[in-house]
Every structure is written in C-alpha cells, then in structure tokens.
Amino acid sequence: MTLTAANLVRRANGRPLVDGVSLTAEPGECLAIVGPNGSGKTTLISMFAGLRLPHAGRVTLNGTPLHRLDRRSVARQIALVEQHAETGERLSVREVVDLGRIPHLGPLSPRGARDEAVVDRALVAVGMADMAGRSWHSLSGGERQRAHIARALAQEPQILILDEPTNHLDIEHQLAILALVTALDATIIVALHDLNHAAMFADRVAVMERGRLVAIGRPADVLTAERISAVFKVQATIEPTETGRGFIRFTAPSRPATWG
Amino acid sequence: MNLARSRAMAGARLLGVVALSVALLGATVIFGATIGETQIPFHTVAATITNHLFGAGYPVDTIDAGIVWNYRLARAVVAAACGAALAVSGVVLQSLLRNALADPYLLGISAGASSGAVSVAILGLGGGLLTLSAGALCGALLAFSLVALLAVLAGRGPTAIILAGIAGSQLFNALTSFVVTKSASADEARGIMFWLLGNLSGVRWPDAWMAMPIVGLGLAVCLLHARSLDAFAFGTDAAAALGVPVRRVQATLIAITALMTAVMVSIVGSIGFVGLVIPHAAKLIVGVRHVVLLPAAALVGAVFLIGADVVSRTIIAGQVLPIGVITALVGAPAFALILVHRPSGAGGTAR
C-alpha cells in the first residue's frame, strides 16, 4: 500500500500553506514530518488523509487518485489520529474505539463477532483493555490519545497518519505512544515537533519549511547541525549514539532576545 | 463461543424491547383518548377504538364515540407524531452541529412558520384559498431555504449554520411582530399568540394522516444514517476520516429534519423545548449510539407530548392552555439541569 504525493499545493488567502510537495510513503516504513510552526505539516497531513483537496497536484493510493476513491474504502485503508479531537458526548472508551468499525459496516448491517474481536484487540494493543468502560471525560490527555490510536487501529488500516500525537503529553507517555505506534504493522506517517523523537523512531524524516519539502531521508543524513540551524534557527550539535541515529543537543541562544 | 445462541438472544431481546415500546406508545395514546373534560368510561373508549379498527360493532353512545375517535384520539396521534418528530430532529441537529443547545427551531423554521401563518390569518394572503397550516408550511420552508442558502454562503460549518439560523429567525420574528402590531385586531393577535405557543385544539384525522407518514419517513432516513451520526462525535474531519461523506449526510439530514419540523409546526404551531430537552433525556436513558438513541428519543418525545397535551387540557378546569406553556414549564427547569450537569469540555470552550 503506497501513498504518494505529487506536487501538492494548497493555499489559504492566496498564501501557499503547502507548496509543491512530492513524496512517497513506502509500505511499512515510519515517515516523520518535521518543521517549524506554520511550515505546513498539518495541511500536508490533511491532504494525505483525503480531508482536504489539494489546489494543485494530487495524492494517490497505489496509483489511484485519492479523490476518485470512495470515502469508505479510503477509511478502510487510511486511518487518521488528529491533533485535538474532542467530544461533548458522554462516550465510553469502548464506544470511541467502536467508531473505527464504521467504515467496515453498512448502514443496516449489525456489528458482528469479528468487529467486537477487532475492537478488543485494538484496546489491548494500546493497553486500555481494563479501561473500556471508562467515560471519555474522565480520561487524561495521554489516555485520550491512546484511545484515539485504538480507534484508528480498529479501522484495520494499512496506513496510519498521526498529527503530533505526543502534544501535551508528559515524557513517559510521549515515548510510550511513539514506541507503540512504530511497532505497528502498518505504514506510519507522523508529524512531530520533537526532532529527537524523529531521530529515535523514524525510518525516514521529511523536513518542511514554509510549505516546501527541503529534505527527506534517513534521520542521520537529514537532521544535521547545518540543516537544523537553517530551518529551525537554533544551534545544535549531533552526538553519536549506539543506534547510529544520533542525539540532537540544542544550544541555548547566545544572546537573549531583546524586547521591542 | 456459542455465537448463534447469543445472536438469537440479542434478536429476542430486540424484539422484546420493540414490543414493549409499541405497547407503551399504544397505552399512552389510549390514555390520551381516555382523559378529558367529559368523563367517558374506559370501556366506551376501548369499544370505540375496536369498532373503528376492527369493525367490532359494539354499541356505544355516538357523541361519546365522536369525542373519543375524532377529537381525542386524533389529537393524541398528532401529539405523538409531533413529539417524536421534534425529538428526532433535535437529536440529529445536536449531533450534526455538535451543539448541545441546538433544537429544531434553530433553522428558522418556527419563525418562518409564524410569519406564514400571520400572512394568511391577518394579511389574508392567498385570498382564502390557503389555510393557516398551508401558510405556515410555506413560511417555514421559505425561511429554511433562506437560512440554508445563507449557511452555504457563510462557509457550511456548524457555526455558520447556527449563525444563519439565528439571523433568519430574527428576521422572520420581526416580520411577524411587524404584521401583528400593524394590522391585527386584539382578538386576532390573541389567536395568533395562542397558535404560536402550540395548539392541538383544531387537530383532526387529516392532520394525523399527514403527520404520521412524515415522522415515519423522517425516522427511517435518520436511522439509515445512524452510524454516520455516531461518526460526528469528534467533529466533521473525524467523520470524514471514518469514511462518512460529510456534506451529503449533512444536507440530507438537515433537509429531512427541516421537513419534519416544518410539517409539525404547520399543524400544531411551535411547541418549544421538546426538541431541545427530550434528546438529552433520551441520551441519559439509552446512551449515545444513534441506532438506539433515535427510536428512544422518538418514543420519549411521543409519550411526553401526549402527557403534556393531557395536562394542558385538564390542569385548569374549563380552559385549555397552549401546550407550549406546559412543555416550557417542564422543559426550562430540565434544560437548566442539563446546562449545570453538562460534561466538562462539552461545547469546546478552552479554559
């Protein structure tokens, strides 16, 4: 299952948010998308998930343009975990995960034993089997994110897209979520803020800057001191690690920012 | 795993719940037909209904039979249909717009209906050919078309729809007030006021024959979209990511709720609070899965409105209160409770 973007462009108020991005997510890989705020990560991800149409270029799934495919069949192959998806409804964790079966069910077909089994498996995969009956509003941020991932898993996707899944989580849960996601048997496309997370978990890293893709490749090749300085405007040194992925140590700005 | 057996048990349970619901609804309708100012014994009511349904030919007093069949029973059936339609519309709009405070009149429908009604009743639009109900229906559909157009121009989102609805309602309410203050006599103004608060007095069987198929159709269309409605729990993007054709579903469901509400408003006036409060009550009883929630809301709405009608006819001897007064007297405190006990995070305001 290959997801390919070709020359994607999307604008808002005449300003390009995503400007001519081409890349391919290879089957089974974990592709991290990094970039400063406003570099177009979320917009790119929403086009990958088929939620927004590009103004130019196209996204193809195994060669077929995404917008030509039936929405439901796309949802059976691509699952999305949004940045802040909240609800006012009094749903239980299990009811949230059940939502992932919607693309597999017709309007009248009842949920069967297989649907229940898939939901059970998804709950186990994120370590929430014992929380299935808990109310959504009683969950912490990390638990909500895990429930969303379980819902995405219940879609049985070949491609899982996540938009900054570690936002607002403490460091333990950040690492746990990324370890969980990257261990999955699926293509993972994940927007990340933390460059060290990208270095630790991704097979390849795509660097975005002002809507453009400025680099893509293995973390050690892409996340260099020079590129980090050019794109993120911070000084960094890359320390070698046993894994060969490198650890990025940031240097505090030498002179404090002045007021006015 | 004994799958076949658990399937069979689930099927039997479903059948049981449906049978119980139908029985409850039937009992409430008969209750509505039994209670009233004229004391009519229950066996007369039962005999009248069996005579009409099965041609049993039991001897009953013709005046009593007329009151039971033509007046009270038609009224109870319309009240049931109307309560069900408003409650189902409320569920759909609250889920679709992700707003716990959405109700069927949000789309400008009751404001449009009142403008239509006063245009016929006071301005004499249609030269006597249009009934009050027909005028109200035209007004409701016109107002909804305007609101829908405005919402599309304003960007289609839930906020756009709500704001367009408020703008449309204000406009048509102002038109109604303008016509009433400029042209109506005191009696006409009082009559219109009575109608606006909801009035089942003039309801007869032709109204029931119009209301029942509409509510049946509406409930069926909404039930077909029950899974899509579930998918809206986390917003339109989440629904789209779950494979729901968001715009088509929104358009279909908003149109069907508008049709249901417009027809009901044109028959009985705008009965407030049912479409707002019953969905929340039904959610507390059966949870948020729409395949269960929609029929449950329909049942609770139907039973509630028959009850409210009986109360409105009997609470003050010799006088019928507008049913909207009763529903609001129950609805406003219930609404306050819901506001206080809403789960945190509902409505999406950051803290």
Side-chain angles (χ1 to χ4, degrees):
Chain A
M1 198 57 53
T2 311
L3 194 62
T4 302
N7 285 313
L8 289 189
V9 177
R10 191 169 163 93
R11 292 175 287 264
N13 302 319
R15 199 175 66 90
L17 299 175
V18 168
D19 193 3
V21 171
S22 299
L23 62 83
T24 297
E26 301 296 343
E29 78 165 334
C30 173
L31 173 66
I33 301 172
V34 300
N37 288 336
S39 57
K41 301 189 293 288
T42 297
T43 309
L44 180 62
I45 276 202
S46 68
M47 289 189 281
F48 265 138
L51 300 184
R52 307 276 175 277
L53 281 177
H55 291 132
R58 64 186 191 178
V59 180
T60 53
L61 183 63
N62 275 354
T64 315
L66 213 50
H67 64 269
R68 295 258 180 80
L69 291 167
D70 168 55
R71 265 257 167 82
R72 267 180 65 203
S73 80
V74 172
R76 286 194 290 265
Q77 295 164 78
I78 303 177
L80 170 70
V81 175
E82 293 174 281
Q83 218 176 111
H84 302 290
E86 275 306 327
T87 182
E89 303 290 352
R90 291 168 201 240
L91 291 160
S92 70
V93 170
R94 193 182 178 93
E95 284 170 327
V96 171
V97 180
D98 275 342
L99 295 178
R101 298 308 296 165
I102 289 175
H104 295 270
L105 294 164
L108 293 175
S109 54
R111 284 182 311 168
R114 198 183 116 67
D115 299 302
E116 303 297 335
V118 170
V119 169
D120 286 337
R121 253 204 332 269
L123 282 164
V124 169
V126 301
M128 291 186 87
D130 55 341
M131 290 189 203
R134 284 265 301 275
S135 144
W136 175 261
H137 294 281
S138 74
L139 300 182
S140 70
E143 289 162 348
R144 288 180 191 194
Q145 204 59 270
R146 273 151 67 201
H148 271 307
I149 291 170
R151 186 265 306 150
L153 293 180
Q155 285 175 249
E156 300 179 287
Q158 274 109 338
I159 299 170
L160 178 59
I161 303 179
L162 305 99
D163 191 2
E164 298 187 10
T166 56
N167 250 6
H168 305 307
L169 300 187
D170 60 37
I171 185 70
E172 181 196 351
H173 288 105
Q174 291 183 11
L175 297 178
I177 293 253
L178 289 172
L180 160 69
V181 163
T182 47
L184 295 171
D185 184 23
T187 309
I188 308 292
I189 302 174
V190 54
L192 288 174
H193 247 308
D194 191 318
L195 299 183
N196 272 313
H197 288 167
M200 280 168 77
F201 290 103
D203 298 315
R204 287 195 304 157
V205 177
V207 183
M208 298 278 294
E209 185 188 20
R210 275 181 258 148
R212 293 178 167 277
L213 179 68
V214 291
I216 184 166
R218 295 192 315 126
D221 301 335
V222 170
L223 297 174
T224 59
E226 299 75 43
R227 180 159 292 118
I228 290 171
S229 164
V231 174
F232 293 89
K233 317 288 185 241
V234 289
Q235 299 308 312
T237 47
I238 314 297
E239 294 180 359
T241 60
E242 312 92 84
T243 57
R245 285 164 174 270
F247 175 76
I248 303 159
R249 180 189 292 280
F250 297 103
T251 319
S254 55
R255 106 190 116 80
T258 48
W259 293 100
Chain B
M1 284 280 283
N2 198 334
L3 196 65
R5 206 172 132 233
S6 78
R7 275 268 173 86
M9 271 172 66
R13 226 183 61 188
L14 179 71
L15 211 67
V17 170
V18 169
L20 208 68
S21 306
V22 171
L24 176 63
L25 185 61
T28 318
V29 169
I30 292 170
F31 170 74
T34 311
I35 310 289
E37 234 178 313
T38 319
Q39 298 279 340
I40 297 174
F42 180 73
H43 61 82
T44 313
V45 175
T48 307
I49 293 173
T50 5
N51 282 353
H52 277 276
L53 290 184
F54 309 110
Y58 292 118
V60 281
D61 182 274
T62 47
I63 294 176
D64 280 357
I67 290 177
V68 167
W69 184 259
N70 291 322
Y71 175 66
R72 289 188 193 161
L73 202 64
R75 190 175 170 135
V77 167
V78 169
C82 185
L86 291 176
V88 167
S89 302
V91 168
V92 169
L93 289 177
Q94 284 173 10
S95 297
L96 217 50
L97 305 178
R98 299 184 78 211
N99 192 321
L101 310 180
D103 86 349
Y105 302 141
L106 181 87
L107 302 167
I109 287 163
S110 89
S114 55
S115 297
V118 298
S119 306
V120 171
I122 298 172
L123 297 182
L125 215 69
L129 289 174
L130 276 177
T131 62
L132 191 80
S133 288
L137 187 60
C138 295
L141 295 176
L142 178 73
F144 169 67
S145 315
L146 217 72
V147 167
L149 178 70
L150 186 57
V152 167
L153 291 177
R156 294 167 195 260
T159 320
I161 294 168
I162 292 170
L163 291 177
I166 290 174
S169 297
Q170 296 285 352
L171 173 69
F172 281 91
N173 281 334
L175 277 177
T176 307
S177 303
F178 179 76
V179 172
V180 169
T181 43
K182 187 171 175 295
S183 312
S185 68
D187 268 358
E188 280 174 331
R190 196 179 136 80
I192 285 292
M193 180 63 122
F194 203 82
W195 184 82
L196 285 181
L197 287 170
N199 181 12
L200 285 154
S201 298
V203 159
R204 295 293 178 268
W205 279 109
D207 301 309
W209 292 126
M210 177 148 175
M212 281 191 292
I214 291 288
V215 72
L217 173 77
L219 184 59
V221 170
C222 294
L223 272 175
L224 274 179
H225 289 86
R227 286 229 165 83
S228 302
L229 282 166
D230 288 342
F232 277 90
F234 286 91
T236 45
D237 274 2
L242 286 170
V244 173
V246 169
R247 281 187 182 169
R248 204 188 70 212
V249 169
Q250 275 179 334
T252 309
L253 289 179
I254 287 182
I256 195 78
T257 56
L259 177 69
M260 274 196 286
T261 312
V263 169
M264 298 310 153
V265 167
S266 73
I267 298 173
V268 300
S270 50
I271 299 172
F273 278 105
V274 177
L276 179 65
V277 172
I278 300 296
H280 291 290
K283 267 181 211 172
L284 288 178
I285 301 169
V286 300
V288 293
R289 281 183 49 216
H290 286 85
V291 69
V292 185
L293 176 59
L294 288 165
L299 179 68
V300 176
V303 169
F304 175 76
L305 213 56
I306 293 174
D309 179 47
V310 168
V311 173
S312 78
R313 283 188 282 133
T314 52
I315 193 165
I316 301 178
Q319 195 179 345
V320 178
L321 286 177
I323 188 171
V325 172
I326 305 297
T327 58
L329 281 178
V330 178
F335 181 51
L337 278 178
I338 288 160
L339 271 180
V340 173
H341 291 290
R342 260 193 318 159
S344 60
T349 313
R351 275 176 294 185

